[in-house]
Amino acid sequence: MLSIIAVLAVVVAAQATPAPASALDIDFDVEFSIPAVHNPDYVRNGTAAMLKAYAKHYLTPTREMPEAFMSALHKRQDGSVSAEPSGGAEYLIPVTVGGEQLNLDLDTGSADLWVFSSLQPASQRRGHAYYTSSDSSTYQALSGSTWNIQYADRSGASGVAGTDTVTVGGTTVLGQCVELAKTVSSSFVSDASDGLIGMAFSNINTVRPQQQRTFFDNAKDSLDSPLFAAYLPANEDGSYDFGSTDPSKYTGNIQYTSVDSSNGFWEYSTPHYKVGSTIYSQSGYTGISDTGTTLLLMGDNAVDNYYAQVSSAEYDSRQGGYVFNCSESLPTLSISIGYLNFATIPGSLLNFAYIGNGQCFGGLQSVGAGGQNIYGDVFFNANYGVFDASGPSFGFAPLN
Ligand SMILES: *[C@@H]1O[C@H](CO)[C@@H](O)[C@H](O)[C@H]1NC(C)=O
Ligand SMILES: *[C@@H]1O[C@H](CO)[C@@H](O)[C@H](O)[C@H]1NC(C)=O
């Protein structure tokens, strides 16, 4: 384990993007690890995890889905609080915003740092820590700035924006854009997280009229190396390591591939995959590393080829995915991250959830009609993932 370095890296965020932050560059080596606490209330529900991913990424199903799934995906939500498992955040990190400690979902698939706030109706804040800008002497409003995150199922969050001091582990950014929720949908109310800290690229930040930079974009130059790494072992607490990688958490060498950030994601080529030792090509697909999605979502051919090697597996339209007899062991899946490097996910980690009657829901499911595979937490349950802004590039190595 790396220790937390008690050095403050002070960075002054620029108000504008893409102009570089006018950094108060204090040149200490900064590297630290923060806990990614496994949410003890997280309930694995495959259908709910599918719905969240399909809504967040505007995916179009190619197979018959449960009626409730389709109506949720296309209907406006009524804003009432749902008691059902929401398919929310599985890991949370402590973040201090203007002196208030919040537990946020570190999401490499979005680029907004938004928090529950006193501007929301009290009923939406129940059970959450929230940020009150008037309690913070360092808050400054970004006059006229708004933000809006809308998912395809009309869930989402929106509000106003300002700047404040934000601390994650050993790094503090002064003047970080903080997005205050005025309203969030029921799925966020019932979720454990008090907001999100988006770690995708700033070009998909939703603040308007002036787009804002992510926390990582502001902090990266003050880190020992401009990177962070996700360590998310299955059903356990993990960590995010900033500024350096932690060799005690993985085996072998980290294998890097170049990232195309033009769509705002940690996106790379992923031309092949293996089921057991059989290798297949998947032309026309890129992959993104998304810690804010739970499942591994790939093209239908890949999903069909995988479950073809599981004799009890069948597509279940009532669940919206492949299910199989839990007593059958699943084959290893390997995915090429870039052209040459295969990341491996053992079959045991592809058994996502028990659904009853001896049946289990698979952790690999269809990405629908899209051409962008989504490699979510199931990928990180097996692999340490490195998000490196130099390049940029994405690296991985099997968990220790
Ligand atoms: C799983 O989630 C779906 C979609 O939100 C929901 O309809 C279903 O009731 C949930 N299943 C369980 C066992 O809670
Ligand atoms: C699952 O497989 C086991 C072992 O072959 C069998 O005993 C059991 O009946 C099967 N369960 C279902 C739901 O098919």
Side-chain angles (χ1 to χ4, degrees):
M1 290 279 280
L2 294 179
S3 58
I4 293 173
I5 292 186
V7 169
L8 284 191
V10 180
V11 180
V12 177
Q15 303 289 305
T17 189
S22 55
L24 231 172
D25 236 330
I26 300 175
D27 218 1
F28 297 116
D29 283 349
V30 175
E31 52 172 14
F32 58 89
S33 182
I34 55 162
V37 178
H38 189 261
N39 172 8
D41 298 327
Y42 181 74
V43 177
R44 286 185 164 226
N45 176 328
T47 312
M50 288 285 281
L51 179 59
K52 186 185 174 196
Y54 271 61
K56 176 183 179 185
H57 290 285
Y58 286 80
L59 303 178
T60 306
T62 44
R63 295 253 158 85
E64 191 186 348
M65 301 300 277
E67 216 167 285
F69 182 102
M70 292 310 291
S71 59
L73 195 56
H74 295 307
K75 254 192 221 151
R76 180 169 285 279
Q77 293 204 339
D78 61 7
S80 65
V81 179
S82 152
E84 281 169 5
S86 65
E90 192 172 355
Y91 300 90
L92 298 173
I93 67 163
V95 175
T96 304
V97 179
E100 184 70 46
Q101 195 193 299
L102 305 170
N103 293 315
L104 304 184
D105 182 9
L106 191 158
D107 179 12
T108 61
S110 67
D112 288 54
L113 196 181
W114 73 261
V115 296
F116 276 64
S117 88
S118 58
L119 306 178
Q120 290 167 255
S123 61
Q124 285 189 5
R125 290 186 255 120
R126 209 169 27 233
H128 289 272
Y130 59 92
Y131 171 74
T132 303
S133 58
S134 57
D135 287 351
S136 172
S137 59
T138 41
Y139 175 74
Q140 285 192 295
L142 283 171
S143 181
S145 285
T146 59
W147 61 279
N148 187 0
I149 292 165
Q150 281 285 306
Y151 294 168
D153 61 353
R154 308 294 176 138
S155 68
S158 60
V160 298
T163 62
D164 208 335
T165 303
V166 173
T167 301
V168 175
T171 288
T172 293
V173 173
L174 306 180
Q176 170 63 42
C177 177
V178 175
E179 304 171 33
L180 288 66
K182 288 179 83 170
T183 184
V184 306
S185 61
S186 57
S187 55
F188 285 110
V189 174
S190 55
D191 192 7
S193 72
D194 305 320
L196 264 62
I197 180 164
M199 296 279 203
F201 291 86
S202 298
N203 59 351
I204 55 169
N205 174 270
T206 77
V207 176
R208 298 291 178 272
Q210 181 68 64
Q211 200 170 42
Q212 300 291 316
R213 294 161 66 96
T214 65
F215 174 85
F216 179 59
D217 228 355
N218 286 325
K220 63 184 196 265
D221 292 340
S222 68
L223 299 171
D224 194 4
S225 297
L227 62 81
F228 64 95
Y231 171 65
L232 304 173
N235 299 313
E236 283 175 36
D237 293 348
S239 66
Y240 284 98
D241 301 331
F242 284 79
S244 71
T245 56
D246 181 351
S248 73
K249 292 171 183 156
Y250 60 86
T251 58
N253 295 320
I254 296 171
Q255 311 198 63
Y256 288 92
T257 193
S258 61
V259 159
D260 176 354
S261 64
S262 57
N263 295 318
F265 296 112
W266 295 89
E267 184 171 13
Y268 38 76
S269 59
T270 182
H272 307 292
Y273 60 94
K274 285 194 270 190
V275 182
S277 55
T278 311
I279 186 162
Y280 299 90
S281 295
Q282 52 179 354
S283 59
Y285 287 91
T286 60
I288 65 166
S289 292
D290 182 5
T291 58
T293 289
T294 307
L295 298 166
L296 200 64
L297 301 176
M298 296 177 71
D300 283 326
N301 280 340
V303 177
D304 291 347
N305 285 333
Y306 181 79
Y307 289 107
Q309 296 197 25
V310 182
S311 62
S312 67
E314 56 181 8
Y315 182 78
D316 182 344
S317 62
R318 290 158 306 165
Q319 299 290 332
Y322 269 98
V323 302
F324 59 96
N325 183 329
C326 304
S327 61
E328 189 173 0
S329 46
L330 299 177
T332 297
L333 175 70
S334 309
I335 303 164
S336 72
I337 303 296
Y339 282 91
L340 297 170
N341 306 325
F342 279 94
T344 293
I345 296 132
S348 57
L349 292 175
L350 286 158
N351 181 339
F352 181 68
Y354 182 68
I355 54 174
N357 298 322
Q359 297 272 96
C360 284
F361 191 88
L364 169 66
Q365 299 292 350
S366 169
V367 78
Q372 198 182 48
N373 290 341
I374 300 170
Y375 301 143
D377 294 344
V378 167
F379 177 92
F380 294 97
N381 290 164
N383 293 282
Y384 190 73
V386 184
F387 299 80
D388 190 337
S390 60
S393 59
F394 176 76
F396 70 92
L399 290 197
N400 212 345

